[in-house]
Amino acid sequence: MSFVLALDQGTTSSRGIVFDRAGQIRATAQMEFEQLFPQPGWVEHNPGEIWRSQLEVARGALSKANLKAGDISAIGITNQRETTLLWDRRTGEPLYNAIVWQDRRTSDFCDQLKRDGHADPIARKTGLVIDAYFSASKLRWLLDNIPGARTRAERGELAFGTVDTWLVWNLTKGVLHITDVSNASRTMLYNLQTGDWDDELLGLLKIPRSVLPEVRASSIVCGETAGGIFDSPIRIAGLAGDQQAALFGQNCFAHGQAKNTYGTGCFMLMNIGSEPKPSRHQLLTTVAWNVQGQTFFALEGSVFVGGAVVQWLRDGLGIIKSSSDVEALAAGVSDNGGVHLVPAFAGLGAPHWDQHARGIITGLTRGTNAGHIARAALEGIALQVADVLEVMRKDSGIALTELRVDGGASANNLLMQFQADILGVPVVRPKVTETTALGAAYLAGLATGFWKDEAEISKMWQRDRCFEPSMSKEEAAERRRSWSAALQRAKTSANVTAS
């Protein structure tokens, strides 16, 4: 068994990637699936499509690599986090579409929780801010809005899960109803101090404990795939939310090391060690992973819309034909022409946590063209990341010497150079940028002895390119100031529209 299979279930696509012992990719299969927007601010996925696409790419990756299940040491699973599913324990049938992490339908309920004084207790217990982003309010909505769901849940007939739980349930044909500590810590129901679901929070949110999965370590042999899934059973041995998996895949094993992933959103995580220290600047304290019985924690800044703004340029505005066209379009102009694009399509995440902010483009003139808008879109991604890093430095007391990057948009050289310029620190891109899947593979491989330890894994990390800052500090500061002005307009735009 010379390979590990990673299942990377993301917000817009499912991927299966086969890794060898050197941590190199042997084969990849990918499939996009439909994004559902039934109402403004609502985002859903078809649970069956999530499962079918993930199974197809898992089988497809094995086929491309000319491998059978017997060649695979273990499966590692990583997933879009916070996305919430509810299904029938007996039949496995979902009661409703998956409510995606970007969904804002529970914003008013979350605002009420804040007004009722629950923000500080929830932050102390979970490390999170109250927001519709997390799973708890989504699950509450499902129980309240699906006829008979609450009664059935209280009778133990229903199962809740984030996407990792849903995949394991289907891979084992209902044998396992589990999650790992990293995904559990994103629900707003998990107590970081006790390492378990919190009964007080369950009472506050009116969620029966019987609906919740069992919480496991991130690197442990949980079970194996059921008959008929592959040609023979494969051990399931790694589970982690996508951003925690990327932190592991980037080999950020030491206190103070950080990475940023440029996916649908942008997510910066910093390893803060074995104690869950609270943030003073509205960052999240989250479980990074549990490996070999030891739990590590991370500070996280979540930017809701990162690479998704490029998809919007393609699908919403139609100014590019494919996402890869954006770099050439943006490079066709020397600067942004005074244009800022704040992609607050789903509100603003860290460090602002403004659920009601909306996207805005400022600085338009008759001279503005598609290139300026494309460049402003890319710069908006990097400037949001800079906002997060600024408060992360304050929280941790650590001045980064470099930022490790990954995710689809990290292949964009113009974006990475501007990121280094605006941060004032080198931005380092590894040779293997599929670090989310790689982290899941590492976690599974450690559990099965495929890899011995983290020291062995660290030797495999290789640098592809380092982007050194070239912008003056004065210019970078001015860019940050004009960005802050645009941000303020995005925050007030919802109120202007409402009035």
Side-chain angles (χ1 to χ4, degrees):
M1 295 185 290
S2 301
F3 303 91
V4 173
L5 174 62
L7 307 185
D8 184 356
Q9 205 300 299
T11 307
T12 58
S13 70
S14 297
R15 292 185 294 174
I17 303 181
V18 176
F19 290 95
D20 63 20
R21 287 191 185 276
Q24 299 299 307
I25 295 174
R26 173 61 64 95
T28 301
Q30 180 170 352
M31 179 181 296
E32 290 193 5
F33 54 87
E34 188 177 9
Q35 307 295 300
L36 306 173
F37 307 100
Q39 294 184 33
W42 292 29
V43 190
E44 298 178 358
H45 293 156
N46 182 321
E49 194 174 4
I50 290 175
W51 163 238
R52 288 188 296 271
S53 63
Q54 188 63 76
L55 179 60
E56 185 166 337
V57 297
R59 291 169 172 170
L62 292 179
S63 178
K64 281 186 177 182
N66 197 27
L67 299 172
K68 295 185 182 249
D71 299 312
I72 304 300
S73 173
I75 288 175
I77 297 172
T78 185
N79 56 284
Q80 53 166 312
R81 304 171 303 172
E82 298 96 19
T83 295
T84 301
L85 301 97
L86 187 67
W87 64 93
D88 186 304
R89 285 185 179 273
R90 185 178 61 84
T91 66
E93 287 297 315
L95 274 69
Y96 189 83
N97 280 336
I99 301 180
V100 180
W101 57 272
Q102 299 162 312
D103 190 280
R104 311 307 296 169
R105 76 188 65 185
T106 59
S107 292
D108 289 343
F109 173 71
C110 290
D111 285 343
Q112 187 61 53
L113 286 176
K114 294 175 187 175
R115 286 193 295 269
D116 291 343
H118 298 298
D120 287 344
I122 285 176
R124 284 196 302 272
K125 287 173 178 284
T126 69
L128 309 178
V129 300
I130 295 176
D131 195 85
Y133 176 33
F134 304 108
S135 307
S137 64
K138 304 181 197 302
L139 176 55
R140 164 74 179 256
W141 187 94
L142 289 170
L143 294 174
D144 285 345
N145 287 274
I146 299 172
R150 182 169 294 284
T151 300
R152 295 187 63 198
E154 289 170 350
R155 290 201 301 255
E157 297 175 8
L158 304 182
F160 150 75
T162 42
V163 171
D164 59 312
T165 304
W166 174 240
L167 293 180
V168 172
W169 176 279
N170 282 282
L171 284 168
T172 63
K173 295 186 177 179
V175 171
L176 290 177
H177 181 215
I178 62 172
T179 189
D180 91 297
V181 290
S182 70
N183 279 294
S185 73
R186 310 299 298 187
T187 60
M188 214 169 77
L189 299 170
Y190 182 82
N191 190 311
L192 297 181
Q193 300 292 341
T194 65
D196 194 8
W197 304 117
D198 188 275
D199 287 326
E200 288 186 5
L201 295 180
L202 294 177
L204 174 65
L205 275 296
K206 297 183 180 178
I207 293 172
R209 194 180 182 101
S210 60
V211 80
L212 302 175
E214 180 185 346
V215 182
R216 300 280 186 92
S218 309
S219 178
I220 189 172
V221 178
C222 304
E224 62 182 24
T225 58
I229 301 294
F230 301 105
D231 55 73
S232 62
I234 306 176
R235 291 175 291 182
I236 302 169
L239 294 174
D242 52 9
Q243 304 313 318
Q244 290 95 329
L247 189 70
F248 202 84
Q250 284 277 36
N251 291 190
C252 294
F253 303 140
H255 184 278
Q257 287 187 302
K259 68 88 196 173
N260 192 61
T261 296
Y262 300 81
T264 302
C266 287
F267 302 88
M268 184 182 292
L269 272 72
M270 174 184 284
N271 185 330
I272 58 171
S274 58
E275 294 294 327
K277 299 172 184 176
S279 168
R280 302 183 305 278
H281 300 90
Q282 295 199 96
L283 295 180
L284 309 177
T285 303
T286 193
V287 175
W289 52 72
N290 179 290
V291 175
Q292 297 178 339
Q294 188 169 9
T295 301
F296 283 82
F297 297 87
L299 278 178
E300 174 173 339
S302 307
V303 171
F304 293 159
V305 176
V309 72
V310 178
Q311 290 180 313
W312 178 71
L313 295 180
R314 180 192 68 189
D315 303 333
L317 293 188
I319 64 174
I320 53 174
K321 289 184 178 179
S322 69
S323 296
S324 59
D325 295 338
V326 70
E327 183 172 3
L329 180 59
V333 293
S334 59
D335 55 41
N336 64 17
V339 176
H340 280 294
L341 194 166
V342 182
F345 304 148
L348 288 168
H352 314 286
W353 293 107
D354 187 333
Q355 301 188 97
H356 304 290
R358 289 297 175 263
I360 193 168
I361 302 176
T362 68
L364 296 175
T365 69
R366 283 294 299 271
T368 301
N369 61 37
H372 294 121
I373 293 174
R375 195 175 189 100
L378 294 180
E379 291 184 357
I381 296 171
L383 286 158
Q384 289 179 99
V385 172
D387 289 344
V388 171
L389 182 59
E390 180 180 351
V391 296
M392 192 168 281
R393 283 170 171 161
K394 292 176 181 176
D395 268 343
S396 67
I398 297 171
L400 283 186
T401 56
E402 67 176 27
L403 179 67
R404 294 187 175 187
V405 298
D406 54 66
S410 69
N412 188 310
N413 292 332
L414 189 152
L415 171 59
M416 293 299 98
Q417 183 59 56
F418 184 76
Q419 188 71 86
D421 289 343
I422 210 71
L423 294 181
V425 298
V427 167
V428 182
R429 184 171 64 200
K431 284 190 175 180
V432 177
T433 58
E434 299 290 355
T435 54
T436 300
L438 183 57
Y442 283 156
L443 290 166
L446 286 173
T448 58
F450 187 79
W451 289 294
K452 180 182 177 183
D453 53 28
E454 292 172 2
E456 180 182 357
I457 288 172
S458 293
K459 294 176 182 176
M460 294 186 280
W461 190 90
Q462 295 180 4
R463 174 184 296 189
D464 169 52
R465 181 170 172 181
C466 179
F467 297 85
E468 295 285 350
S470 59
M471 184 181 291
S472 70
K473 290 183 179 180
E474 292 75 19
E475 182 180 353
E478 179 55 36
R479 296 288 191 99
R480 293 287 304 278
R481 280 192 291 271
S482 59
W483 165 254
S484 294
L487 264 180
Q488 190 56 44
R489 292 178 179 177
K491 291 178 180 180
T492 59
S493 63
N495 294 330
V496 172
T497 302
S499 62

